[in-house]
Amino acid sequence: MSDLPLRERLRALVYDLGPGRWYQPAWRFIVADIDMSEGSWLEIGAGPGWMGVIAAAGRPGLDVVAIDTSAAMLERARLHRGGHLNLTLRQMDAAHIVYPDGTFQVATAVQSAHHWQDAPGILREIRRVLAEDGRLFLYEADPDAEIPDGWIARCSGWPPEALLRRRWRRFGMDAARWEALVRQAAEVFPSVSDERHGFYRRLVCTR
Protein backbone atom coordinates (compact mmCIF):
# COMPACT_ATOMS: atom_id res chain seq x y z
CA MET A 1 0.00 0.00 0.00
CA SER A 2 1.41 3.38 -0.99
CA ASP A 3 2.29 5.76 1.83
CA LEU A 4 1.89 8.79 -0.43
CA PRO A 5 -0.79 11.34 0.51
CA LEU A 6 -4.20 10.38 -0.87
CA ARG A 7 -4.62 13.79 -2.55
CA GLU A 8 -1.40 13.36 -4.52
CA ARG A 9 -2.31 9.84 -5.57
CA LEU A 10 -5.77 10.93 -6.70
CA ARG A 11 -4.36 13.87 -8.66
CA ALA A 12 -1.95 11.53 -10.45
CA LEU A 13 -4.73 9.02 -11.14
CA VAL A 14 -7.03 11.68 -12.62
CA TYR A 15 -4.25 12.96 -14.85
CA ASP A 16 -3.34 9.43 -15.94
CA LEU A 17 -6.93 8.56 -16.88
CA GLY A 18 -7.48 11.93 -18.60
CA PRO A 19 -4.57 13.69 -20.38
CA GLY A 20 -2.37 10.64 -19.87
CA ARG A 21 -4.68 8.76 -22.24
CA TRP A 22 -5.71 11.62 -24.52
CA TYR A 23 -2.18 12.52 -25.64
CA GLN A 24 -0.83 9.05 -26.34
CA PRO A 25 -1.30 9.35 -30.13
CA ALA A 26 0.59 12.67 -30.08
CA TRP A 27 3.41 11.09 -28.11
CA ARG A 28 3.60 8.29 -30.66
CA PHE A 29 3.96 10.86 -33.44
CA ILE A 30 6.73 12.57 -31.46
CA VAL A 31 8.65 9.33 -30.88
CA ALA A 32 8.29 8.34 -34.54
CA ASP A 33 9.50 11.77 -35.68
CA ILE A 34 12.59 11.69 -33.46
CA ASP A 35 13.21 8.18 -34.86
CA MET A 36 15.86 6.97 -32.42
CA SER A 37 16.47 3.25 -31.95
CA GLU A 38 19.66 3.18 -29.87
CA GLY A 39 21.59 5.36 -27.46
CA SER A 40 20.31 7.25 -24.41
CA TRP A 41 17.10 9.29 -24.17
CA LEU A 42 16.14 11.54 -21.26
CA GLU A 43 12.44 12.29 -20.78
CA ILE A 44 11.89 15.33 -18.53
CA GLY A 45 8.55 15.55 -16.75
CA ALA A 46 7.58 11.90 -17.16
CA GLY A 47 4.16 12.20 -15.54
CA PRO A 48 2.45 8.79 -15.65
CA GLY A 49 5.23 7.48 -17.87
CA TRP A 50 3.52 6.87 -21.18
CA MET A 51 6.00 8.83 -23.28
CA GLY A 52 8.88 6.76 -21.90
CA VAL A 53 6.96 3.52 -22.41
CA ILE A 54 6.26 4.41 -26.03
CA ALA A 55 9.89 5.36 -26.66
CA ALA A 56 11.24 2.20 -25.02
CA ALA A 57 8.82 -0.26 -26.64
CA GLY A 58 10.40 -2.38 -29.35
CA ARG A 59 13.75 -0.58 -29.10
CA PRO A 60 16.03 -2.77 -26.95
CA GLY A 61 19.07 -0.74 -27.99
CA LEU A 62 17.58 2.46 -26.59
CA ASP A 63 18.03 3.32 -22.90
CA VAL A 64 15.26 5.66 -21.75
CA VAL A 65 15.49 7.54 -18.46
CA ALA A 66 12.24 9.26 -17.45
CA ILE A 67 12.34 11.73 -14.56
CA ASP A 68 9.68 13.61 -12.62
CA THR A 69 9.53 15.46 -9.32
CA SER A 70 6.21 13.79 -8.36
CA ALA A 71 6.43 10.47 -6.54
CA ALA A 72 2.73 9.92 -7.19
CA MET A 73 3.15 10.32 -10.95
CA LEU A 74 6.09 7.92 -10.92
CA GLU A 75 3.97 5.43 -8.97
CA ARG A 76 1.54 5.49 -11.91
CA ALA A 77 4.44 5.22 -14.37
CA ARG A 78 5.71 2.05 -12.68
CA LEU A 79 2.32 0.45 -13.28
CA HIS A 80 2.71 1.09 -17.01
CA ARG A 81 6.38 0.17 -17.41
CA GLY A 82 5.62 -3.54 -17.70
CA GLY A 83 8.57 -5.54 -18.97
CA HIS A 84 10.43 -2.63 -20.54
CA LEU A 85 13.81 -3.16 -18.87
CA ASN A 86 15.29 -0.35 -20.96
CA LEU A 87 13.07 2.23 -19.21
CA THR A 88 14.36 3.71 -15.95
CA LEU A 89 12.03 5.85 -13.82
CA ARG A 90 13.58 8.23 -11.31
CA GLN A 91 12.29 10.96 -9.03
CA MET A 92 14.47 13.92 -9.92
CA ASP A 93 14.36 17.67 -10.44
CA ALA A 94 15.40 18.81 -13.92
CA ALA A 95 17.37 21.60 -12.26
CA HIS A 96 19.68 18.95 -10.76
CA ILE A 97 20.01 15.99 -13.12
CA VAL A 98 22.21 13.44 -11.37
CA TYR A 99 23.90 12.08 -14.49
CA PRO A 100 27.38 12.84 -15.81
CA ASP A 101 28.14 15.35 -18.53
CA GLY A 102 27.37 14.11 -22.03
CA THR A 103 25.21 11.14 -21.01
CA PHE A 104 22.25 11.49 -23.39
CA GLN A 105 21.91 11.79 -27.15
CA VAL A 106 18.35 13.12 -26.90
CA ALA A 107 16.25 14.87 -24.26
CA THR A 108 12.53 15.57 -24.51
CA ALA A 109 10.27 17.82 -22.45
CA VAL A 110 6.62 17.53 -23.53
CA GLN A 111 4.22 20.00 -21.93
CA SER A 112 6.43 20.31 -18.86
CA ALA A 113 8.40 23.53 -19.46
CA HIS A 114 5.47 25.68 -18.31
CA HIS A 115 6.12 24.29 -14.81
CA TRP A 116 9.77 25.38 -14.75
CA GLN A 117 10.61 28.05 -12.19
CA ASP A 118 14.14 28.60 -13.51
CA ALA A 119 14.05 27.87 -17.23
CA PRO A 120 17.59 29.16 -17.98
CA GLY A 121 19.04 27.01 -15.20
CA ILE A 122 17.18 23.91 -16.37
CA LEU A 123 18.21 24.51 -19.98
CA ARG A 124 21.84 24.76 -18.90
CA GLU A 125 21.51 21.53 -16.94
CA ILE A 126 19.97 19.76 -19.94
CA ARG A 127 22.78 21.00 -22.17
CA ARG A 128 25.31 19.67 -19.65
CA VAL A 129 23.96 16.11 -19.78
CA LEU A 130 23.60 16.07 -23.58
CA ALA A 131 26.35 14.52 -25.66
CA GLU A 132 28.10 16.52 -28.37
CA ASP A 133 25.52 17.27 -31.08
CA GLY A 134 22.82 15.96 -28.73
CA ARG A 135 19.37 17.50 -29.12
CA LEU A 136 16.63 18.74 -26.83
CA PHE A 137 13.09 18.54 -28.21
CA LEU A 138 10.79 20.76 -26.18
CA TYR A 139 7.02 20.86 -26.81
CA GLU A 140 4.21 23.07 -25.53
CA ALA A 141 0.62 22.89 -26.81
CA ASP A 142 -0.60 25.91 -28.78
CA PRO A 143 -4.26 26.69 -27.95
CA ASP A 144 -4.72 28.33 -31.36
CA ALA A 145 -3.16 25.56 -33.45
CA GLU A 146 -5.09 23.15 -35.61
CA ILE A 147 -5.40 19.72 -33.98
CA PRO A 148 -4.57 17.20 -36.73
CA ASP A 149 -6.72 14.10 -37.12
CA GLY A 150 -5.46 11.19 -35.07
CA TRP A 151 -3.38 13.21 -32.63
CA ILE A 152 -5.83 12.94 -29.71
CA ALA A 153 -7.39 9.71 -28.43
CA ARG A 154 -11.13 10.30 -28.22
CA CYS A 155 -14.02 8.17 -27.03
CA SER A 156 -17.48 9.18 -28.28
CA GLY A 157 -16.18 12.69 -28.99
CA TRP A 158 -14.51 13.12 -25.60
CA PRO A 159 -12.43 15.16 -24.95
CA PRO A 160 -13.89 17.98 -27.10
CA GLU A 161 -11.52 20.51 -28.66
CA ALA A 162 -12.96 23.30 -26.54
CA LEU A 163 -11.88 21.50 -23.36
CA LEU A 164 -8.39 20.83 -24.67
CA ARG A 165 -7.87 24.44 -25.70
CA ARG A 166 -9.19 25.70 -22.38
CA ARG A 167 -6.75 23.46 -20.52
CA TRP A 168 -3.85 24.59 -22.72
CA ARG A 169 -4.64 28.23 -22.03
CA ARG A 170 -5.03 27.67 -18.31
CA PHE A 171 -2.16 25.30 -17.61
CA GLY A 172 0.18 25.78 -20.57
CA MET A 173 2.37 28.49 -22.02
CA ASP A 174 1.08 31.52 -23.93
CA ALA A 175 2.86 33.07 -26.92
CA ALA A 176 4.74 35.64 -24.83
CA ARG A 177 6.13 32.99 -22.47
CA TRP A 178 7.07 30.83 -25.43
CA GLU A 179 8.96 33.68 -27.09
CA ALA A 180 10.79 34.31 -23.82
CA LEU A 181 11.72 30.62 -23.63
CA VAL A 182 13.05 30.70 -27.19
CA ARG A 183 15.28 33.66 -26.27
CA GLN A 184 16.51 31.90 -23.13
CA ALA A 185 17.29 28.73 -25.09
CA ALA A 186 19.26 30.74 -27.66
CA GLU A 187 21.47 32.01 -24.83
CA VAL A 188 22.29 28.44 -23.76
CA PHE A 189 22.42 26.38 -26.96
CA PRO A 190 24.47 27.21 -30.07
CA SER A 191 21.65 26.09 -32.36
CA VAL A 192 17.93 26.68 -31.70
CA SER A 193 15.03 26.09 -34.09
CA ASP A 194 11.50 27.33 -33.31
CA GLU A 195 9.14 24.95 -35.12
CA ARG A 196 5.64 23.44 -35.21
CA HIS A 197 4.72 19.78 -34.84
CA GLY A 198 1.06 18.84 -34.78
CA PHE A 199 -0.68 21.09 -32.25
CA TYR A 200 2.60 21.81 -30.49
CA ARG A 201 5.05 24.63 -30.57
CA ARG A 202 8.38 22.82 -30.76
CA LEU A 203 11.85 23.98 -29.86
CA VAL A 204 14.78 21.92 -31.15
CA CYS A 205 18.04 22.81 -29.41
CA THR A 206 21.32 21.25 -30.50
CA ARG A 207 24.33 21.17 -28.22
Side-chain angles (χ1 to χ4, degrees):
M1 186 70 176
S2 173
D3 58 358
L4 294 172
L6 179 59
R7 176 181 291 184
E8 291 183 21
R9 292 171 58 207
L10 287 176
R11 185 181 298 118
L13 174 62
V14 168
Y15 184 90
D16 192 9
L17 297 179
R21 302 285 180 176
W22 304 341
Y23 300 134
Q24 287 189 36
W27 295 333
R28 293 183 188 281
F29 280 115
I30 289 171
V31 170
D33 184 69
I34 293 174
D35 191 23
M36 184 176 175
S37 59
E38 59 183 22
S40 297
W41 180 322
L42 175 65
E43 166 63 2
I44 298 162
W50 288 113
M51 178 80 172
V53 169
I54 292 167
R59 300 174 179 86
L62 183 63
D63 291 319
V64 182
V65 176
I67 66 173
D68 202 288
T69 58
S70 169
M73 284 292 191
L74 290 172
E75 185 176 76
R76 300 299 306 173
R78 291 186 185 96
L79 295 176
H80 306 315
R81 178 171 53 187
H84 299 304
L85 300 181
N86 58 330
L87 172 59
T88 301
L89 301 168
R90 298 194 64 179
Q91 186 174 5
M92 192 180 303
D93 191 330
H96 303 285
I97 302 171
V98 292
Y99 282 89
D101 296 0
T103 298
F104 301 97
Q105 280 74 51
V106 160
T108 49
V110 183
Q111 291 181 239
S112 62
H114 59 266
H115 294 295
W116 296 353
Q117 298 299 310
D118 177 17
I122 290 174
L123 290 167
R124 287 192 295 270
E125 185 69 348
I126 294 170
R127 176 178 173 171
R128 180 186 67 78
V129 298
L130 282 175
E132 186 175 356
D133 295 324
R135 294 174 296 168
L136 164 65
F137 294 85
L138 190 155
Y139 302 79
E140 286 289 330
D142 180 356
D144 299 317
E146 178 182 353
I147 301 176
D149 290 342
W151 277 65
I152 296 292
R154 289 191 170 94
C155 181
S156 300
W158 185 266
E161 287 197 13
L163 173 65
L164 293 170
R165 295 182 190 282
R166 187 161 60 247
R167 288 182 58 89
W168 295 340
R169 287 191 175 93
R170 180 179 178 187
F171 300 111
M173 185 177 291
D174 63 19
R177 285 188 64 193
W178 177 259
E179 290 171 5
L181 183 66
V182 173
R183 291 194 299 270
Q184 291 165 343
E187 294 175 355
V188 174
F189 287 88
S191 175
V192 173
S193 179
D194 184 1
E195 305 174 354
R196 297 278 177 158
H197 190 214
F199 56 83
Y200 291 109
R201 297 181 176 103
R202 177 171 73 174
L203 199 56
V204 182
C205 307
T206 304
R207 186 183 188 282

